[in-house]
Amino acid sequence: CGECGPCCNMKTEALKNCCQGGGISLFEVKSQGEKLQISDVAGFQGWKEIEVTIDSGACDTVMPLSMCSEITLHESERQRNKMEYEVANGETIPNEGERHCLLMTSGAVGPKRITLQVADVHKALLSITRVADAGYECHLNHQGGYLLDVYSGEKVPIARKGNLYVMRAWVREDSQPPFGRQGR
């Protein structure tokens, strides 16, 4: 993410734990144990199913303000710095904060922590750059693909929907604040 310091260049566990402050922490394992199935999560109070479009051109993982409005919107460093995103038509839209979530996908070992930036976008976008920075490889083919956690070997499934690659997930509010940089 370039905001955390030297750990972003390391291929170690530190990468997963560091980039939660200024950057994004994707898919940090919240709990270990047997694989949970979506049926174990979907019926639980507070989980909401979402679809996230995989986007190699997105600089951040973002979601619309209206999506998951029951999850607390926090002021973000990007918002305080008046960060704007350029959209396809060349206009810019401001960062409106961030949501701290637990995320679950089919066949996952357990829920993962993710911080989603919020902006006036039409759908949730998963930044492949941020995923790569968090230690995942993206594998795509004509049918779909997966994100591969290079540390654990876990695969997060990706589906193909027309000309888009999407990830089906369930999210809920993460009651634990994300790790920040020391001194924050």
Side-chain angles (χ1 to χ4, degrees):
C1 65
E3 297 179 306
C4 302
C7 69
C8 290
N9 296 321
M10 299 185 326
K11 299 284 186 187
T12 67
E13 195 67 27
L15 179 61
K16 284 185 173 181
N17 297 323
C18 173
C19 293
Q20 293 205 15
I24 189 163
S25 176
L26 293 174
F27 308 131
E28 177 188 330
V29 175
K30 180 76 171 165
S31 62
Q32 297 290 337
E34 290 185 25
K35 283 191 175 186
L36 298 175
Q37 298 302 312
I38 292 304
S39 59
D40 296 334
V41 174
F44 289 173
Q45 186 75 9
W47 289 95
K48 181 175 182 173
E49 184 174 357
I50 64 169
E51 183 176 271
V52 182
T53 299
I54 309 303
D55 191 338
S56 62
C59 65
D60 257 334
T61 296
V62 297
M63 72 180 340
L65 182 60
S66 61
M67 182 181 274
C68 301
S69 59
E70 66 280 358
I71 297 176
T72 304
L73 180 64
H74 299 274
E75 182 180 44
S76 69
E77 185 175 330
R78 290 172 175 85
Q79 182 184 24
R80 285 189 298 275
N81 291 332
K82 302 201 183 309
M83 180 181 188
E84 293 186 325
Y85 301 107
E86 184 175 330
V87 294
N89 68 3
E91 293 183 22
T92 59
I93 55 173
N95 178 297
E96 297 185 29
E98 62 189 23
R99 291 200 166 103
H100 308 151
C101 301
L102 293 177
L103 178 137
M104 187 72 182
T105 59
S106 179
V109 173
K112 287 97 171 125
R113 297 176 78 188
I114 184 169
T115 299
L116 294 118
Q117 299 303 309
V118 176
D120 185 18
V121 292
H122 298 288
K123 58 186 171 185
L125 303 172
L126 182 71
S127 167
I128 291 302
T129 304
R130 295 292 187 193
V131 170
D133 289 346
Y136 283 78
E137 295 176 355
C138 182
H139 297 264
L140 302 173
N141 61 39
H142 69 281
Q143 294 179 322
Y146 57 92
L147 299 174
L148 174 67
D149 182 330
V150 298
Y151 303 103
S152 71
E154 182 178 358
K155 292 181 179 180
V156 178
I158 296 172
R160 183 159 178 184
K161 195 174 183 181
N163 287 329
L164 298 175
Y165 291 97
V166 296
M167 181 177 72
R168 184 171 159 221
W170 287 259
V171 294
R172 72 177 171 113
E173 185 147 10
D174 185 357
S175 59
Q176 294 183 355
F179 301 113
R181 294 182 296 212
Q182 288 184 347
R184 265 182 91 175

